[in-house]
Amino acid sequence: MELADKIGELILRRKVEISSNISWISTSLLGKGEVEFGVGPVGNDFYFGNAGIALYLAYLGKYTGKNVYLEEAKRAVKFNINFLKQEKHSPFFLLNQHNMYHLKRIYYECL
């Protein structure tokens, strides 16, 4: 649990605040061949993005009892939920609905 806590502290030190929300900056593979790197905001998905970071922080807060992780996870989840609400007319609507379901579960079960 000590290592998980240190990872959580590192994640929080690297957050980017956007009004009352938070997100993170990361490297990502670019182009068709994915042979170059770029730097930019993380996505909103669970695998490479804000939702996965929020999930980690939510469970870390739940198991360590540290409110700072729970509060920051809540801010990250709210950012994702607000983003997905704006994407109603996206061709990825069903995928977004799936992500929204899991984000709301994180929010209500952990936070």
Side-chain angles (χ1 to χ4, degrees), residues 6 8-15 24:
K6 286 184 183 206
E9 290 172 0
L10 176 66
I11 289 170
L12 292 185
R13 281 197 306 272
R14 295 190 175 181
K15 71 183 177 194
W24 286 265

Side-chain angles (χ1 to χ4, degrees), residues 23-70:
S23 189
W24 286 265
I25 303 292
S26 182
T27 57
S28 59
L29 293 169
L30 301 173
K32 226 172 165 181
E34 295 186 334
V35 294
E36 295 179 31
F37 284 96
V39 176
V42 296
N44 291 302
D45 57 272
F46 282 94
Y47 192 73
F48 286 116
N50 209 42
I53 295 169
L55 178 67
Y56 181 81
L57 293 175
Y59 278 100
L60 187 59
K62 184 176 180 179
Y63 289 107
T64 63
K66 293 186 177 180
N67 270 346
V68 65
Y69 295 130
L70 296 172

Side-chain angles (χ1 to χ4, degrees), residues 16 18 20-24 41-55 72-88 95-104 106-107 111:
V16 176
I18 307 155
S20 63
N21 302 302
I22 57 172
S23 189
W24 286 265
V42 296
N44 291 302
D45 57 272
F46 282 94
Y47 192 73
F48 286 116
N50 209 42
I53 295 169
L55 178 67
E72 299 299 351
K74 189 180 294 186
R75 290 174 67 194
V77 166
K78 283 182 181 179
F79 178 81
N80 270 47
I81 288 172
N82 289 336
F83 174 82
L84 291 174
K85 283 180 181 177
Q86 295 172 11
E87 294 291 306
K88 284 185 208 173
L95 177 60
N96 287 344
Q97 290 299 98
H98 178 75
N99 286 342
M100 180 78 82
Y101 168 77
H102 290 292
L103 286 166
K104 286 183 177 180
I106 293 169
Y107 191 84
L111 308 174

